[in-house]
Each structure stands twice: as C-alpha cells, then as structure tokens.
Amino acid sequence: VIKCRAAVAWALGKPLSLEEVEVAPPKAGEVRIKIVATGICHTDEHILEGLFPNVEFPVIPGHEGAGIVESIGEGVTSVKPGDKVIPICLPHCGECSFCLNPESNYCLKCHLSESQSVLPDKTTRFTCKGKQIHHFLWVSSFAEYTVIPENAVAKIDAAAPLDKVCVLGCAFPTGYGAAINTAKVKAGSSCAVFGLGGVGLSVIMGCKAAGAARIIAIDINKDKFAKARELGATDCISPHDFKKPIQEVITEMTGHGVDYSFEVIGLAETMVASLASCNMNTGVCVMVGVPPAGKEISIDPMLVFSGRTWKGTLLGGWKNRDFLSKLVSSYLEKKFNLDVLITHRLPIAKVNEGFELLCAGK
C-alpha cells in the first residue's frame, strides 16, 4: 500500500479537500501509476456540481493525467514499471462489438454503460480516514498514485514531457478529433466554434489542420479571442455584441451558414444555436461540450429535415489506446502546439484555486 496525497470530493457542492490516502496495489489486469501532471477539465467541475451522471461520493476526480507506471498486476503485458503512460477515460477492451468496429471508438466498458466509480471487480483501491473512496472514470488523476485497468492505459514515448502531454488525456484529442474525425472538415470550408476553452481552441486547431478557409470563433469572453486568432480563427465574435440571435449573425456573415459548427460548451441553447448556424442542407453540427445529466433539448424538426447532420463525439472519435501514442509522437514532431493550451501551473495543494481560474474563464 502506498500513502500519498489526493484531492478528495467528500460531497456534492463542497470544495476539494487535500488528504492523505492509501492506494492499494494493483490486482490482476490493473496498473498502478504515479501521476506526474494532470489538467483540470470542466467535466471535473460537473462532478462537483452534480451534473455528471452516476458519480458516487466520496470520489477522487481528475481524468486528464500523465504519469509513470509504478507497478503492474498479474497478467498485464502492454506496460511495465517505468513506462510513461496516459490514462484513458474511454477504455478500449478490444473485445466488445464497438471495439471490434473500425468506425467506432466507443467501448461497452465505458462510463456510459457501466459504473466507473469502482473498478471492474466492484471494489476501489483508495482509502481515506478508514473510508472507501470512489474512482472517477477509472482515472482519478487528482491523486499522486492511482490504479487503473490495463485497458484504460496507453503507453507513450519516453521522451514526452508529462506536464504537457497530460492534456492529451481529454482536451486536445476531443477538440482536434471532433474536427478531423467526427466532422471530417474539408479543405476550403467554413466552420463556427462555440466556446473557446481548451477544447474549443483544440477544435480550431483541427479545423485549421484540415484546411478550413474560414473559422468563426464565438465566446462571451473576449479575452479568449487573441489565442483563438493565434491558432487559426479568422473571425471572433461575442453574442453580447448583437441584438439578434447569434445563429442569424453567422448566417448573414456566411450567406447560408457555415459548413461545420461545433458546440463546445454543453448548454442547450448554444447547442440549438450551433445547429442552426450550419447550412440547412449539407451542414454538419457536432456536439462536443458535455450536457448536464438529464437535460432535454427542444428543436424545430425543420432544422434537420432539410438535410443538416447533428452528431456527437466521444473523445474526438479516436480509439485512444491505439492513437494516443501517435498523437504524442505528432506533438514531439511539432505538428501541433499543445503548450498554448496551458495557462497556469499549480501544485496539487492549490487545486481549488485551479477550479476558480477555470470557472472565471482564465
């Protein structure tokens, strides 16, 4: 058993509490990882607000980490102690009908199909003050050590800087892949990106890499515009600057609407606005932001009857156990710039300050 620090969410709506936790050794098919760096994602904030489905408290959040394998359980063959790895919040069992489908990146062992508040044997590896602490998405990267099933771990290049490639655990591949894999953005096309956080900026990078001619970036926080332009946005607009709905503004800017639109916020009203912003016949709208659990959306059926495509994306459509190592290699080859997504570096003791910065749009 390893004793280490972790940021624990004891109850809904409470700040995270830095605690000493005990982390049990990995069982068969499991990997214990020393987490070196972790990003903070808005999905982690959703846990604390009660907006993410099927989370049990107390829990150690975090799902965007990178680290080094400390030990392995019986039967583990894909990694060994000392390997650099990224935990994957969308596992890849390699056996279910989705994993065997080359066009799918879903897995029946992911959180949408079964609880990931406990490991597959229905127990946890975390204990604090005599209580069992739950896992989050089998990752729990807000702990200095964590235990994860082998099918949710990707080995990466030993040269990778873990304090940067940690954002490959969620933010970058989700946004970049939404453009490249899910929308399949074409060269010369027009795109609109709603929400310019880390994931939205990654969508812009994907649109630019695909050769989009016009990329309209939309956010109410104008402080985001400089970075969006740096990464490829051609236009930056705030809905607060217009008296008409933003979808009407975008339609007027482009003539008939954009070819591709991306909602990267997770709000019902912006999802509808994003759908209405793409052209009525061949436009493709991708839902990237995580909607609150149980939320329903009302739309005019004519928005899709005329031919628009409305679709979602899970982690940008990547089969991550296969592709994460390739994304890391592409980063090392400077094919894209992750560094621009990193705004602050904080010790784990200041994790609540990190959430304050996130929620303040900084």
Side-chain angles (χ1 to χ4, degrees), residues 5 34 46 64 124 147 221 294 309 316 326 328 343 350 359:
R5 295 179 303 168
K34 177 184 179 181
H46 284 352
E64 198 175 83
T124 86
V147 177
N221 182 354
T309 300
K326 296 173 184 175
V328 168
T343 56
K350 292 188 176 181
C359 293

Side-chain angles (χ1 to χ4, degrees), residues 54 77 90 99 107 187 191 205 217 300 309 353:
N54 307 322
T77 58
L90 186 64
C99 283
C107 175
C191 303
M205 284 194 260
D300 179 348
T309 300
E353 186 179 316

Side-chain angles (χ1 to χ4, degrees), residues 3-326:
K3 290 185 177 181
C4 69
R5 295 179 303 168
V8 179
W10 287 101
L12 200 61
K14 302 287 187 184
L16 293 170
S17 176
L18 195 66
E19 307 281 4
E20 182 180 79
V21 299
E22 295 86 42
V23 185
K27 295 184 180 181
E30 296 175 355
V31 180
R32 186 159 63 182
I33 299 168
K34 177 184 179 181
I35 296 291
V36 173
T38 180
I40 299 178
C41 176
H42 228 111
T43 302
D44 300 309
E45 174 67 14
H46 284 352
I47 300 173
L48 308 180
E49 296 171 343
L51 301 178
F52 197 86
N54 307 322
V55 174
E56 297 181 51
F57 291 84
V59 62
I60 298 174
H63 63 285
E64 198 175 83
I68 299 167
V69 175
E70 178 272 335
S71 58
I72 58 175
E74 181 184 346
V76 172
T77 58
S78 62
V79 295
K80 64 183 185 304
D83 284 346
K84 286 186 176 181
V85 293
I86 293 177
I88 302 166
C89 52
L90 186 64
H92 183 66
C93 74
E95 299 171 351
C96 70
S97 59
F98 287 95
C99 283
L100 294 174
N101 180 348
E103 296 183 2
S104 161
N105 77 321
Y106 187 70
C107 175
L108 286 174
K109 296 191 182 300
C110 94
H111 68 279
L112 296 174
S113 296
E114 66 176 57
S115 169
Q116 296 194 356
S117 291
V118 291
L119 293 183
D121 70 350
K122 307 306 177 191
T123 65
T124 86
R125 302 293 169 267
F126 297 121
T127 312
C128 181
K129 299 177 181 176
K131 293 185 177 180
Q132 295 292 303
I133 308 296
H134 292 97
H135 297 248
F136 178 58
L137 301 183
W138 290 347
V139 177
S140 292
S141 57
F142 289 178
E144 291 177 314
Y145 286 85
T146 187
V147 177
I148 300 173
E150 182 184 14
N151 63 21
V153 176
K155 181 180 175 180
I156 61 172
D157 193 310
L162 297 176
D163 61 333
K164 294 177 180 174
V165 299
C166 60
V167 298
L168 286 170
C170 176
F172 180 80
T174 297
Y176 193 80
I180 299 289
N181 299 327
T182 308
K184 295 180 171 58
V185 170
K186 294 178 182 176
S189 62
S190 58
C191 303
V193 181
F194 287 72
L196 304 178
V199 183
L201 293 173
S202 300
V203 173
I204 290 174
M205 284 194 260
C207 293
K208 184 178 181 184
R214 191 172 190 186
I215 303 170
I216 303 170
I218 304 110
D219 203 298
I220 58 174
N221 182 354
K222 294 183 179 181
D223 292 342
K224 306 274 191 181
F225 289 175
K227 195 164 282 190
R229 286 194 176 94
E230 178 187 342
L231 293 173
T234 56
D235 306 79
C236 293
I237 57 176
S238 167
H240 287 173
D241 289 342
F242 303 93
K243 292 181 179 177
K244 61 181 69 174
I246 195 67
Q247 55 265 40
E248 292 182 19
V249 175
I250 293 169
T251 300
E252 288 178 6
M253 288 172 68
T254 56
H256 301 285
V258 291
D259 299 306
Y260 307 94
S261 63
F262 302 85
E263 200 280 352
V264 204
I265 304 166
L267 297 176
E269 53 268 34
T270 43
M271 288 178 182
V272 175
S274 179
L275 177 63
S277 296
C278 62
N279 85 64
M280 65 186 296
N281 184 239
T282 59
V284 175
C285 175
V286 181
M287 290 171 50
V288 189
V290 179
K295 186 73 175 178
E296 294 185 354
I297 299 176
S298 296
I299 67 161
D300 179 348
M302 289 302 292
L303 283 173
V304 290
F305 176 79
S306 57
R308 287 182 180 92
T309 300
W310 198 13
K311 59 200 304 188
T313 186
L314 277 175
L315 274 178
W318 307 97
K319 284 185 183 285
N320 266 354
R321 281 201 82 199
D322 298 333
F323 280 97
L324 257 182
S325 61
K326 296 173 184 175

